[in-house]
Structures are given as structure tokens and as C-alpha cells.
Amino acid sequence: PAHFASRAKAKVKAKSKAKANAKMLPKARPKAQAGPRVIRAGGVVVHQLLCGRDIANRRRNPPEDGALDRVWELADSMRNFVYIVADPISKQALLVDGCWDIDGIFEYASRCGLHIAVAVCTHGHYDHAGGLVPFAGPFELRAQGVRELLARGLRVLAGAADVEQIAEQCGVDRRAVEPIEEGSCVRAGGARCIVFE
């Protein structure tokens, strides 16, 4: 019977030593969020969509088109965010850097009861405005973006210095992309964004 008591004491000592060691280890990282992040601030609601997870997701919604599949693979590796800034009362919204998966963006907005009224490109890179992917090798790959937004009848705005680049890489008339200057206020319902560089 004495050896049973010493085994029990040894187990207790081992457990307390394991607890002490566990306190010294860094805590496990929280699990990644499973869907779009929604932030309520300043009278607007901001929906943050991650490319490769929330839109342009090859695993959840595999495209039948091989070129689009390659573009979405790139979108997943780039890890860009697309933002929908919405007025919670009127449900009007601004789309910021809408590219990669325009149908997916609009499907998400529709599920949320939002109407995207205007699109803003923060700068002219293809991963924020769409258009030809510059390092696609012998392939001509296009990321969806400004061209598809204009086809949906949206106003598309961009910094004056970026308009030419966006129009050229997206294959649209430069007059279709409206230049905006620093300090301009872009509105959709009660949602507004002030442009700054």
C-alpha cells in the first residue's frame, strides 16, 4: 500500500510541474476569424473581406475557367482586403479596392441587404483596381475590377495620379474613371470617406 501512496504523490507532483511549465509557454494563438470582419464605428458599418477566404475562394467556390482559377490562386496568396463602407440606415455603400471577385463582392453585399453605389480605388495597382496581372509570364491573366464595376453601372473614382494607369491596365476609357483630389468627400447615403494621400 505504501507504494500506491508514493505513486499518487508522484502524479500530483507531475501535474503541478506541468502546470508551472504551461505558464511559461506562450498562449496559443486565437483561431483565425472564419468570415468577413464587420466593424461598427462613426455611424458606418465597415465590412472587411479577405481575398481567398471571403471572396475569390477557390476551395469553397471553384471556378470552371482555368484562367480565373489561376487569378484566384494569386488572390489567395496576395491576401488583399476589400472594404464595403455602409450606411446602416439607407443601406447605401461605398466599395473600396473592389477587385478579384466582383460577383462574390456583390453577392456578399446582397446577402447583407446593402446596395453598392460607388467604388473607390486607393491606388492603381492591379491587386486594388483589377486589370492585367503584370508577371503572368506567357499567359494573359486579368484580375476583375474596374472594368466589371463600370459594366455594372457603378461610378468608379480614383486619385487623379492613378486614373491613367488604371484605365490602361483595365482596358477602359480614361474618362470612365473619375479623378478625385485629396480632401474630397465621397458619399453613399450617410456613409462618407474623405480622400487623403
Side-chain angles (χ1 to χ4, degrees):
H3 70 304
F4 289 118
S6 59
R7 277 194 210 167
K9 284 182 186 177
K11 281 185 181 179
V12 169
K13 281 185 182 178
K15 281 185 181 178
S16 60
K17 189 173 182 178
K19 280 185 181 179
N21 287 340
K23 287 180 182 176
M24 296 186 325
L25 296 174
K27 290 187 176 184
R29 295 166 89 190
K31 285 187 175 183
Q33 189 169 339
R37 184 170 183 198
V38 179
I39 306 152
R40 289 166 177 72
V44 298
V45 179
V46 179
H47 299 258
Q48 183 186 51
L49 309 176
L50 177 61
C51 297
R53 180 190 69 194
D54 306 319
I55 57 171
N57 185 322
R58 300 168 63 225
R59 293 166 299 285
R60 188 176 59 227
N61 185 23
E64 293 177 15
D65 178 354
L68 185 57
D69 185 61
R70 291 187 57 142
V71 169
W72 283 12
E73 179 180 23
L74 181 60
D76 189 22
S77 70
M78 296 289 286
R79 310 303 283 172
N80 291 94
F81 287 107
V82 171
Y83 296 92
I84 300 173
V85 182
D87 173 2
I89 297 168
S90 72
K91 304 293 187 185
Q92 297 289 305
L94 303 159
L95 175 62
V96 180
D97 288 342
C99 69
W100 298 108
D101 180 9
I102 300 303
D103 288 341
I105 294 168
F106 276 82
E107 287 167 13
Y108 174 83
S110 178
R111 285 193 308 272
C112 295
L114 302 175
H115 172 72
I116 298 173
V118 62
V120 178
C121 298
T122 59
H123 61 284
H125 295 164
Y126 76 93
D127 60 328
H128 292 262
L132 289 173
V133 176
F135 50 86
F139 306 101
E140 186 173 289
L141 296 178
R142 284 189 69 260
Q144 294 177 3
V146 167
R147 179 191 290 182
E148 291 76 14
L149 294 169
L150 290 168
R152 285 178 174 264
L154 255 66
R155 286 179 58 214
V156 176
L157 312 172
D162 295 309
V163 168
E164 195 70 43
Q165 177 186 358
I166 291 170
E168 185 177 325
Q169 76 191 19
C170 293
V172 300
D173 186 327
R174 75 166 310 286
R175 293 170 295 187
V177 181
E178 299 176 38
I180 49 176
E181 300 295 331
E182 184 166 4
S184 299
C185 180
V186 181
R187 295 179 183 273
R192 64 189 179 99
C193 289
I194 306 296
V195 177
F196 64 92
E197 291 188 37

